[in-house]
């Protein structure tokens, strides 16, 4: 007895008529009747008793019905798995990102992505720029996200967002009422600088040098998020990427455009050694949507090529 025959048998047992079973299975009534005759001939015993145009399953038919439950449960599970794969609803995705993107655009993209794919499992690590490159090249992560990019053989990339560095200040800071903060404005005031040797740290130092303003940080930190926390606490002003002030809603911070313009470009990275999975491509689309939303909510920023 094959699966199709079992399916017909089960439908007739549920409905007790060949007409109703035929409707459920999108078959003709004669096709169902003929299938029952064939099954009974093959089995060598009756499967139904016919009473007043209704079919009542025999003990043997009910035994087959119960034994086939596991088969059809497994079949349904397999069909669900195929659908999940087709719609990218299940699987495993590994991501790495630098802190500015890990705490801003990636969580928002992950939220919608996983809400539609509850069976998907994600590994998400936060690393410095060098760790992103290493993770992608070594296939520890399928996708990496970083501010700024130096050419690396074997790594493909796409710009996900282009913005500009901003100045963050305590709400009561004497410069907080200015529409734009320049490097010269910050001279002689408490200032939180980014660590020397980091991509963003060097970009800010270069901006001060271009403006002919002294770079004299009161406090030096590694991450922009740390600078934002200190600025909100009243330690001083800082120049950071446009993503970090959005963490926790930017509570306690005044955020202003910074001059001279210092570009901050966010990149999506992946290995050229293997094609992206359908799941990874779906996540990249989510990131693109969040990037577009970010563009609409940051009207003061202009586009440009950039550095981290």
């Amino acid at each position: 007895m094959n699966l199709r025959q079992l399916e017909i048998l089960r439908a007739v047992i549920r409905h007790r008529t060949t007409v109703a079973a035929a409707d459920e299975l999108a078959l003709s009534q004669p096709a169902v009747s003929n299938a029952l005759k064939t099954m009974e001939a093959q089995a060598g015993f009756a499967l139904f008793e016919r009473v007043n145009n209704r079919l009542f399953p025999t003990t043997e038919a009910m035994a087959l019905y119960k034994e086939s439950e596991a088969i059809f449960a497994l079949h349904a599970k397999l069909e669900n798995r195929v659908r999940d794969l087709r719609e990218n609803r299940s699987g495993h995705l590994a991501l790495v990102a630098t802190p500015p993107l890990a705490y801003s655009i990636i969580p928002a993209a992950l939220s919608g992505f996983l809400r539609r794919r509850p069976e998907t499992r994600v590994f998400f690590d936060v690393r410095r720029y060098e760790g992103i490159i290493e993770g992608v090249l070594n296939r520890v992560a399928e996708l990496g996200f970083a501010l700024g990019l130096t050419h690396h053989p074997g790594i493909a990339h796409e710009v996900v967002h282009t913005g500009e560095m901003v100045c963050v200040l305590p709400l009561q800071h004497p410069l907080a009422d200015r529409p734009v903060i320049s490097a010269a404005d910050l001279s002689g005031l408490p200032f939180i600088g980014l660590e020397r040797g980091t991509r963003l740290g060097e970009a800010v130092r270069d901006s001060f040098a271009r403006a002919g303003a002294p770079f004299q940080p009161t406090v030096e930190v590694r991450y922009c998020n740390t600078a934002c926390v200190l600025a909100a606490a009243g330690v001083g002003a800082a120049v950071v990427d446009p993503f970090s002030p959005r963490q926790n809603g930017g509570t306690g911070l005044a955020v202003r455009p910074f001059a001279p313009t210092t570009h901050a470009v966010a990149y999506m990275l992946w290995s050229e050694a293997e094609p992206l999975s359908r799941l990874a491509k779906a996540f990249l689309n989510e990131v693109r949507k969040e990037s577009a939303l970010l563009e609409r909510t940051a009207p003061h920023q202009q586009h440009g090529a950039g550095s981290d």
Side-chain angles (χ1 to χ4, degrees):
M1 190 174 291
N2 59 41
L3 276 178
R4 188 55 167 168
Q5 289 174 322
L6 279 175
E7 189 177 28
I8 293 171
L9 172 68
R10 290 166 60 81
V12 175
I13 289 176
R14 285 194 299 270
H15 295 289
R16 303 299 170 93
T17 70
T18 55
V19 174
D23 287 341
E24 178 187 322
L25 300 174
L27 296 172
S28 66
Q29 187 274 335
V32 172
S33 295
N34 290 334
L36 289 181
K37 292 176 183 177
T38 300
M39 281 186 273
E40 288 181 328
Q42 290 174 340
F45 52 78
L47 295 172
F48 293 93
E49 294 180 0
R50 293 156 178 79
V51 179
N52 297 326
N53 294 322
R54 292 184 67 82
L55 300 174
F56 292 89
T58 61
T59 302
E60 292 79 8
M62 288 306 300
L64 292 174
Y65 184 92
K66 291 175 183 177
E67 289 292 334
S68 66
E69 284 287 354
I71 297 173
F72 282 88
L74 183 61
H75 184 256
K77 183 179 179 180
L78 181 61
E79 285 189 325
N80 289 336
R81 176 63 173 158
V82 171
R83 184 178 64 251
D84 287 345
L85 290 171
R86 183 176 62 248
E87 299 175 1
N88 298 316
R89 290 185 178 180
S90 66
H92 182 268
L93 182 63
L95 312 170
V96 288
T98 53
L101 301 179
Y103 301 136
S104 58
I105 194 169
I106 302 303
L110 265 180
S111 177
F113 179 77
L114 291 176
R115 187 165 51 249
R116 290 184 289 277
R117 299 169 179 83
E119 298 303 316
T120 297
R121 296 295 173 262
V122 173
F123 169 79
F124 181 30
D125 194 13
V126 182
R127 301 182 177 187
R128 298 184 67 175
Y129 175 84
E130 295 76 11
I132 304 302
I133 300 303
E134 180 184 359
V136 172
L137 285 176
N138 294 339
R139 300 293 290 170
V140 171
E142 187 170 6
L143 296 174
F145 298 86
L147 284 177
L149 180 66
T150 302
H151 175 69
H152 293 276
I155 288 186
H157 67 272
E158 176 185 327
V159 174
V160 64
H161 183 79
T162 300
E164 296 170 4
M165 300 287 279
V166 296
C167 184
V168 292
L169 315 100
L171 294 176
Q172 304 306 316
H173 195 279
L175 300 178
D177 60 345
R178 298 197 181 188
V180 178
I181 309 296
S182 71
D185 293 334
L186 298 169
S187 179
L189 296 176
F191 183 70
I192 305 157
L194 300 177
E195 182 182 17
R196 180 181 295 277
T198 63
R199 300 171 71 78
L200 289 178
E202 292 303 316
V204 174
R205 282 171 172 77
D206 179 67
S207 297
F208 274 72
R210 284 189 285 125
F215 185 82
Q216 298 173 328
T218 310
V219 180
E220 197 166 311
V221 299
R222 175 173 295 178
Y223 298 119
C224 288
N225 183 46
T226 308
C228 290
V229 171
L230 294 181
V235 173
V239 177
V240 301
D241 67 83
F243 302 96
S244 294
R246 295 169 176 268
Q247 297 170 36
N248 302 317
T251 305
L253 285 176
V255 183
R256 301 289 180 265
F258 173 70
T261 298
T262 306
H263 299 301
V265 182
Y267 290 87
M268 304 186 287
L269 315 173
W270 60 91
S271 172
E272 292 180 332
E274 295 182 28
L276 285 176
S277 67
R278 297 178 70 231
L279 204 59
K281 291 178 180 178
F283 183 69
L284 288 184
N285 284 332
E286 291 290 340
V287 175
R288 293 183 186 108
K289 291 177 187 176
E290 289 301 324
S291 173
L293 179 62
L294 192 62
E295 293 278 2
R296 292 196 293 271
T297 58
H300 67 280
Q301 296 180 12
Q302 299 176 359
H303 296 277
S307 62
D308 167 35

